[in-house]
Structure formats: C-alpha cells, structure tokens
Amino acid sequence: MEQHGVSRRSMLGGTAAGLGLAALGTAEATADSWPKPQGRSMIGVPFEPRQTVRIGIIGLGNRGAGMLPLFLAVPGVKITAVCDTRPETVESAVKVVRAAGQPDPARYGKSDRDYENLLRRDDVDFVYVATPWEWHVPMAISSMRNGKHVGVECPLAVTISELWELVDTSERTRMHCIQLENCCYGQNELRVLRMANAGLFGELLHGAGAYIHDLRDLLFSDTYYANEWRRAWHTKLNADHYPTHGLGPIAAYMGINRGDRMVRITSMATAALGLADYRKSHEDPADPSWRERYVKGDTTMSMIQTEKGRLIRLQHNVSNPYPYSRLNQLAGTKGVFEDYPARVYLEPKSSGHKWGSFNDYKSYDHWLWKDIGPGPGGHGGMDYLMLYRTIQTIRLGLVPDVDVYDSAAWSAPVALSGESLKRNGMPMPFPDFTRGRWREPRPGLDSPKP
C-alpha cells in the first residue's frame, strides 16, 4: 500500500477531541468525559462457531507474507482472498496457498481501494490487516461494516478519536476488532502471567515493557518497507510509535480492563539524532532521505499509573545501536521477574540478592506452550500460537482472549505520549474504552484450555 501524506498535526489532532472536553485541563477524567456508547458492549461476546474459518489477507509485505504460511498451518483455516497493490506479491501469495493444497485465493490490489471489493465477499469470515499504519483504521472499519471480524497488526490506530471509532464500530456491528499482539503469546510472557495470577509475586506494584529494536538498516532499506513508509513516521510524529509489544503483556499481568485500568500517562523523549547520524554514515548525499528532518526522539520513555496505584514504564527506541529487548519486567510485594535474560527473585525461595532460575517455574507454562507450541514460524513460536488461539476461539465460538477494549487501550499510548510530549511531559488521561466495565473480572489471555 502506498504511503499517503499525513501531517503530524493530523495524526495528533484527534487526540484532544477523543479525550473529551473535561479532560483537557487535568490528568483526571470521569465517565462523562468519554463519547456516549452507540451500541452494546462487546465484553464477553463470543464468536459465532464455524468449522472452517475463511481468511482474507490485506497487505502482503514482509509481515503479511511471513504470516501467510502460519495461517495455512493452523487447523481449520482456508485462505479465500489476498490483497496488495503490488501484483508480484499477490502472485507469490497465491503460489504459497496453492502449494499448501488449497484452491487459488481471489486476487485484489488493482487500486488502493480494491481491498473494499475483497471485504464485500461472502466467503471471508476474518480479515487480517498487515499494511502501513495509516491504513489500519479504514480497513478495520470497512471490515466490520461488511460483517467481518478483523485482526490488525500493531498499532491499532494512532489517534484517540480513531480508537473510539473502532470501539463504536465494533459495538454497532457486533464484529470483533482485535489487536494481533504476538508478544502476549510468548512463552515467558504467558508463564509470568500464570505466575502472577497464582499470586507468586504477591500484590503487584510495577512493571516495564518496551520495544527496543535497532531498525536503522531496515528503515533505510530501499526494499524492506514499501516506499520506506515506516521511516516517514519519524519525520511527523514524536511519540512512542510501537507501545503494544511491551504494554500488552504488562496489561495482562495487571488485569487491565479486568479489575484495574490505566489512568494517566506522562512521557519524555531524547533528541532525534540516531537516524540522521546513520544517514550520514550510510546514505549517498544524493539520496532523497537527505531532505528529511526527523522529529521522533530516539528514546521515548513513558510512565503510566493505574487506578490501583501501580506503575508501568514504557520505552521505545529503534534509532540507536542497542541489543533487542522488550524489558518485560514485573514486580510485586513478594519479588520480581526480569527478562533479557529471564530471571526471578521470589520469596521465600530467593534470598541473598541472588537471582534465581526462571526454568524452575516451567510448571507454570501456559497450556498453549505445553500442548500446542511452539509450532512453525518466527519469533520463537509466538506468531503461530497467536494465530492458533485466535482461530480456535472462532471455530469453537469462544470469547476472544483480546477484545476491542484491550486493543484500544494498548495502542492509546501512541497518541497520548505524543500529546504529553507536546505539553512538556504533562500527564494525559487514559480513555476508559470499556465505559466503566473495567471493574468486572473476566477471562483474558490466561483462559483455560477448551
């Protein structure tokens, strides 16, 4: 999909309206601050069961093409339609589907809007969106309006008003809209979740999550991101661009939207130096990138406070040399877990300021990892297990592990961190996308094996 010109102002312009007038001058907000519901809540709403889940894929770049064979490996999946504006990627996808023994899927992509024709088909149950970020919202909304459930790559949206629009559309259409956050299905993340739910950490106090990934060579690649769309965001949006990898697991540990909620966020950022420095060393002076001015600070750090007084620290950096990390830390009154490398310190077993082995807690592995995973694919198996579980909930007619309210909350820091940075670190209120139902305990990623 082509990169469309979207200004920084337009990306953040929907934030203030989406926060509600009552929220503009304070870090606190009440239920009256949020838009009124336009439909019934999707909390606890199951999928309609079906033996075969028919999939339409929109976006066949690196992520979409990489996920295609994993969809095909999941029991009960049929790929019925694929879409991308590059004909060669469409044909490559068709060959993969054919090689898996399925009929050729329908082909779409003759124009930027040809995906709408895919969404009108009556043989698509679930739409997978893996396109540049500015396309996520229109594609997800169109999917739901056409009677399709939709799973979207990260982030779900980049403004608060768009997130509310996705919530409202899901409620009006009764279609699920899911942030497909693979890190929530990592082995370490699910083990820590079950340990937290079992009370091993005591009362939870704070956690940390991040997306620290040196992407400089990929951001400047002429081929990796079509039209180099992802680097363009560094020229127009100073914010945490990619919060869900770190926040999704931490939110699950803390029962966000299931007895606790995120209340406020404050953000700070370093100077934007890394991409310009990399360009100076690696790009020809005649390259078009030299006309770019980068505004996204190399490192963005945010602090989030929850209703129960817990703290969540988020960090984002893709512009500097730094070993990969999602931090993935959780601390409570009985001890702490830290990832990269994985280690624990839990009383009464731990003492003397010596870290213990995380392997000692294998018995807490999630049933997905004990009985199903890791399966094929990258990221250590989490991609496949995410798809397996999503398709399983559809086939069996279960409530999804992650709903539209979780999805909106996890992506909200994109806009909120940007707004906080504009206001010199001012705390910004988190919308309550559940409209007050966050207090209700309910299943999530630690659902029992069906």
Side-chain angles (χ1 to χ4, degrees):
M1 297 296 173
E2 291 182 0
Q3 165 72 10
H4 284 209
V6 184
S7 69
R8 180 174 182 271
R9 181 177 180 182
S10 69
M11 284 295 97
L12 295 176
T15 302
L19 290 174
L21 294 176
L24 288 178
T26 175
E28 303 294 342
T30 66
D32 295 335
S33 305
W34 317 128
K36 300 300 181 184
Q38 301 179 29
R40 291 177 290 117
S41 174
M42 291 295 287
I43 289 177
V45 175
F47 288 105
E48 63 282 5
R50 60 186 71 246
Q51 184 174 0
T52 300
V53 182
R54 300 166 297 180
I55 307 290
I57 297 179
I58 307 176
L60 296 165
N62 291 287
R63 182 60 173 168
M67 294 291 275
L68 174 58
L70 302 189
F71 271 110
L72 290 165
V74 176
V77 164
K78 182 179 181 182
I79 306 297
T80 55
V82 293
C83 178
D84 197 284
T85 54
R86 295 163 295 176
E88 65 276 12
T89 63
V90 172
E91 291 307 314
S92 294
V94 170
K95 291 178 181 177
V96 172
V97 176
R98 187 187 303 149
Q102 295 192 13
D104 286 10
R107 301 162 169 85
Y108 293 90
K110 294 180 180 179
S111 70
D112 284 352
R113 296 286 174 179
D114 200 21
Y115 70 87
E116 294 175 346
N117 293 316
L118 181 155
L119 297 176
R120 295 187 185 103
R121 297 180 63 91
D122 59 8
D123 62 350
V124 173
D125 307 308
F126 184 86
V127 178
Y128 171 55
V129 175
T131 58
W133 301 339
E134 61 269 28
W135 287 99
H136 288 183
V137 173
M139 289 173 173
I141 289 175
S142 185
S143 296
M144 290 185 282
R145 287 176 177 170
N146 280 281
K148 276 69 173 174
H149 302 293
V150 60
V152 185
E153 280 294 341
C154 317
L156 192 66
V158 297
T159 72
I160 298 300
S161 57
E162 287 176 329
L163 291 171
W164 277 116
E165 187 177 6
L166 290 167
V167 169
D168 291 342
T169 302
S170 178
E171 292 178 342
R172 284 197 304 268
T173 62
R174 316 309 295 161
M175 293 290 112
H176 285 294
C177 179
I178 300 171
Q179 176 77 86
L180 289 176
E181 178 43 73
N182 58 345
C183 295
C184 287
Y185 290 88
Q187 185 172 20
N188 288 5
E189 285 82 355
L190 286 174
R191 186 187 298 178
V192 172
L193 172 62
R194 297 194 68 244
M195 292 168 63
N197 289 345
L200 270 65
F201 295 94
E203 292 295 323
L204 300 184
L205 297 171
H206 61 88
Y211 186 65
I212 301 172
H213 190 181
D214 184 359
L215 294 179
R216 293 172 299 168
D217 58 336
L218 300 181
L219 290 173
F220 281 95
S221 168
D222 295 333
T223 58
Y224 192 83
Y225 294 111
N227 300 316
E228 301 173 64
W229 65 266
R230 189 160 176 174
R231 191 179 72 245
W233 284 93
H234 288 255
T235 70
K236 58 195 174 189
L237 180 60
N238 187 20
D240 184 330
H241 288 184
Y242 216 61
T244 66
H245 275 0
L247 181 55
I250 303 299
Y253 305 157
M254 293 187 176
I256 298 300
N257 291 339
R258 292 162 178 78
D260 200 359
R261 82 175 188 94
M262 294 179 284
V263 175
R264 66 183 68 85
I265 181 174
T266 184
S267 303
M268 297 184 184
T270 68
L273 303 177
L275 294 189
D277 183 69
Y278 185 89
R279 177 181 60 190
K280 183 178 179 180
S281 301
H282 294 83
E283 295 296 311
D284 188 281
D287 189 84
S289 65
W290 280 90
R291 296 194 292 268
E292 298 172 347
R293 176 179 174 271
Y294 305 111
V295 300
K296 197 274 181 208
D298 288 1
T299 292
T300 302
M301 291 191 183
S302 302
M303 291 296 297
I304 300 171
Q305 188 158 45
T306 77
E307 186 73 34
K308 288 187 174 182
R310 299 160 172 165
L311 295 178
I312 302 172
R313 177 170 63 90
L314 290 184
Q315 187 171 339
H316 178 272
N317 186 315
V318 298
S319 305
N320 304 128
Y322 203 121
Y324 182 90
S325 176
R326 297 193 301 273
L327 294 182
N328 193 24
Q329 301 170 359
L330 182 66
T333 55
K334 292 185 178 180
V336 60
F337 166 80
E338 290 191 358
D339 217 336
Y340 302 93
R343 51 192 179 165
V344 291
Y345 190 91
L346 293 175
E347 293 181 340
K349 186 174 183 178
S350 299
S351 63
H353 302 281
K354 294 181 180 179
W355 288 99
S357 172
F358 190 49
N359 287 332
D360 293 344
Y361 297 87
K362 286 183 178 180
S363 62
Y364 288 91
D365 273 344
H366 194 278
W367 62 265
L368 281 168
W369 280 93
K370 288 182 177 179
D371 301 338
I372 308 299
H379 293 113
M382 64 175 70
D383 289 342
Y384 176 77
L385 289 180
M386 175 185 69
L387 297 184
Y388 178 94
R389 176 58 178 167
T390 301
I391 299 302
Q392 183 187 61
T393 57
I394 299 174
R395 295 183 71 198
L396 298 180
L398 304 176
V399 177
D401 294 345
V402 177
D403 60 27
V404 69
Y405 310 104
D406 303 319
S407 303
W410 299 350
S411 286
V414 179
L416 297 179
S417 66
E419 196 71 17
S420 181
L421 288 170
K422 285 174 61 179
R423 296 167 183 252
N424 297 316
M426 176 180 174
M428 302 303 299
F430 253 89
D432 174 16
F433 294 104
T434 73
R435 295 182 172 99
R437 294 192 61 179
W438 60 269
R439 297 176 178 85
E440 302 173 13
R442 56 192 174 90
L445 287 154
D446 195 16
S447 296
K449 182 179 179 180

